[in-house]
Amino acid sequence: MKLRRNIYAKENMTGYLFILPQMLVFLMFLVYPIFEGIRLSMYRINYQNEKFVGFENYMILFNDPVFFKALINTVVFVVFIVILTVGFALFVASAVFDKNARYVSFIRGSYYIPVMVSMVVMSMVWSFLLNPANGLISYFARDMGLGAINLLGNPKTVMPVIIFVTFATNVGQAIILYIAAMIGVPKDLFEAAEVDGASRWQVIRKILIPSVKPTTVYITIINIIAVLKIFVVIQLLTGGGPNNASVTLMYYLYNNAFKYNQLGVASAVGVIMFVITLLLSVPQLKSMLQDK
Amino acid sequence: MIRKRLLMTTAALMVIVSMIAGCAGNNKSGNETASNGGKGGKEKVEITAWLTPQWKGVLDATEQGADYDSFLKHAAEKFVAQYDKYDANVKVEVIAGDQRDQLLNVNLSSNTPPDVFFESVFPMGDYVHRGAIVPLTDIIDDEAKNDIDQSFWEAVTFGEDIYFYPFQHNPGTLVYNADMFRAAGLDNFIGGENEIKTWTMDEYQQILDALKSNLPKDKYPNAYPMALYAVNNQGDTWNLAYLRTFGSPFFDNEGNIVLDDEKGAKAAAWLKKLYDGGYTNPGAESVSSNDANAMFQNQQLGISFTNPILFSNMKTNMENGTSPKFDVRLANIPSESGDPLSFTYVVGASVFQSGNDKKMEVAKDFVKFFSTDPELVKSSKNGIPVRSSVAEELKDENPLFAAYDANSQYLFNFTGNVPGYSQLREVLYPELQALYLGQKTPEQMVKDYQVSGNKVIEQNKAGSVIYNK
């Protein structure tokens, strides 16, 4: 028995050695930071020393109303941006996937351009439009006698604006993925539907949407993770304001780590974000694996 | 078969070894490179000096090719040429002011801080409290102590040690468009060209009323009486000054905020009244001080904020034709007592704790060199010199030196030297936003700011090396 195990181990040694570099990188840059983050979240750190403080950093978080605001805002962003992205991408992709190839390419290209542009540049463009002091929208509004318009300075409008900006920048990727998935759906299904006299809406509902379910799950997961990390647009457009109305967990983490030098508190936020991402992703990954 | 497997195993091992070798090779470059064989058989020591944009040129922005790093580069060249302890080299880098904390924190975490940092002292106090900056007490001699006023030494002393070598200072004042004042019939309120005009609160209100109602719309379309901004921590010192307008001392003797009283609430109510009354640019909660500065230069604001560097940059822009030319003059921030409110940013160099004794030695020598060299200290005229000897020598060149000097009796210490001041700055603007949006009453705003501000101070006292010696 022992001999057989030895032979088995020997036979697979080469394979293990080949994946060893990859595993080392994975352990060093992904697994180790997670454990280091968990460890740091229990310390008070300055440049000269670290002091173990148990769950004090978590208590600081749970006593901070801004943290809960960030948590709620992040959830709102995730829900709205993911629903909008999946819904709109499905709509566009199902409308064009079976059209002329050049037209499909044009649509794909048009929606993909904002994805290629850096989020920093996009945020600066939007900032140029929306700035209440010297922005283009405010300027035209004043010129037309509508008074001062400040969409980023109003707690009621700031979230919808950021949701729209992020959605408009990210949706191209989902459209590309959906069109690719829909082009791959077997043609005979559509032919059968045509013979049965199914309407376009029925084809989309009964054939297209179920056929691209793995893509939907994938888009949902990557968007949840991307939106949980939403930062640049907040940093450049609102700075989390007005009065923390648009602060997100990632921005809150950034503030603690790089502005307040509360590395322990920032690590605690990171740990909480990690747990949330895990909780949100596991059921969906599970369903994806079960389907396979 | 066995031979094939052996080959594969060897290949896999080679990949791993080369990776480890690669990583190890990268790790070697670091602090160790500080000491190699250099010129003249002396040890080679390279230090890095960072600065945030202060002023362009060695002496001023009119020089050919003037840039923000010109002064420190020139100082470095001069230092290296006469330095004989080591074969020294100084690398100068300009970093954006709004990236200062991010870059410093990342570099401190990875143990690669700059060796020298030339910056306004007020946001750097936190790094002293964190133990990241080394004391400079041993490089300050009696001559410097006698030449630089005690108030500046107090601003750079934490506990028993001096941590920054004061170079210049930048008093914060208001700036106004005198042409706009004339157009609004406010000739009587215009001060002299080299004067920092002081208005009473009543006069200030009259000025705002006239700028709001009497400005010719064809000449100044979309113009507002004064600047107000609260989107982030930029220019928050003026906001802090406004909150003292009705006599609030702001900090008590223990370094805690004491704004939550009648005087504090009155100041907050005054700001809200100005905002709601249309005396300021709209959307203050989403406007930065940079936006306000740009608006003033485009003649969209009658009164804004400035300091000597911003003021001279503005004048240079007008001379160069990069911004419209108009008559700009200085004024004090008014207060109810009649005495103006005045504050200043002390600018100077600090040396970071790099863990390499030779680098720190060279860094200290470099700081001492450019902070004392008779030719180099003259560059402090770009702000206001902290050295009495330089101010005396150059007083005819810049008549405003006397005006700033006369104001120094009204200076207040806006940081209170409290630990966590950078974090404290982050607490102020959300409260101001809540005030302007009407989410909080003035009373509620000052109360909440005091509670959250004092929490920040208390939290940072616990981690301060100065408070926990």
Side-chain angles (χ1 to χ4, degrees), chain B residues 192-379:
Chain B
E193 257 181 77
N194 298 315
E195 181 189 355
I196 305 174
K197 180 79 178 164
T198 300
W199 301 307
T200 64
M201 286 298 272
D202 282 342
E203 286 173 337
Y204 192 64
Q205 190 57 51
Q206 285 176 49
I207 292 167
L208 295 180
D209 284 332
L211 287 172
K212 191 182 166 198
S213 322
N214 302 348
L215 267 185
K217 295 285 171 217
D218 52 334
K219 200 174 174 197
Y220 299 106
N222 293 324
Y224 304 95
M226 71 173 273
L228 204 60
Y229 45 85
V231 73
N232 54 27
N233 62 14
Q234 274 180 21
D236 57 348
T237 20
W238 280 267
N239 287 327
L240 289 172
Y242 295 146
L243 288 173
R244 292 171 191 254
T245 304
F246 290 89
S248 169
F250 210 88
F251 289 111
D252 65 10
N253 291 336
E254 274 80 46
N256 295 313
I257 298 169
V258 286
L259 190 67
D260 180 21
D261 59 12
E262 202 187 319
K263 291 170 180 170
K266 205 171 168 187
W270 175 66
L271 285 173
K272 175 75 172 150
K273 201 181 109 195
L274 292 179
Y275 181 64
D276 287 348
Y279 294 109
T280 73
N281 51 281
E285 61 279 359
S286 318
V287 169
S288 68
S289 62
N290 277 347
D291 294 330
N293 202 17
M295 285 180 84
F296 181 76
Q297 292 195 50
N298 286 324
Q299 306 204 74
Q300 289 175 297
L301 289 169
I303 303 167
S304 187
F305 71 100
T306 198
N307 63 39
I309 292 178
L310 288 172
F311 191 60
S312 87
N313 285 348
M314 195 191 302
K315 284 192 161 178
T316 308
N317 287 344
M318 287 181 188
E319 294 299 325
N320 295 343
T322 49
S323 75
K325 202 169 181 176
F326 55 94
D327 186 0
V328 273
R329 299 190 185 191
L330 298 176
N332 276 310
I333 301 163
S335 82
E336 196 189 35
S337 71
D339 286 342
L341 287 160
S342 187
F343 63 87
T344 190
Y345 302 108
V346 179
V347 178
S350 52
V351 171
F352 271 81
Q353 178 68 259
S354 64
N356 184 317
D357 290 342
K358 280 172 193 153
K359 280 188 166 205
M360 288 193 287
E361 187 189 351
V362 175
K364 277 183 169 185
D365 288 342
F366 177 53
V367 168
K368 184 171 183 178
F369 175 74
F370 76 75
S371 304
T372 54
D373 181 83
E375 182 222 347
L376 293 171
V377 290
K378 283 181 189 163
S379 296

Side-chain angles (χ1 to χ4, degrees), chain B residues 54-86:
Chain B
Q54 295 290 337
W55 75 91
K56 288 185 177 178
V58 177
L59 265 173
D60 61 59
T62 54
E63 294 158 20
Q64 185 126 29
D67 214 337
Y68 291 117
D69 55 5
S70 308
F71 168 72
L72 271 194
K73 277 187 171 165
H74 175 70
E77 275 169 26
K78 213 175 158 188
F79 169 70
V80 167
Q82 56 81 53
Y83 196 56
D84 55 8
K85 278 191 210 165
Y86 301 101

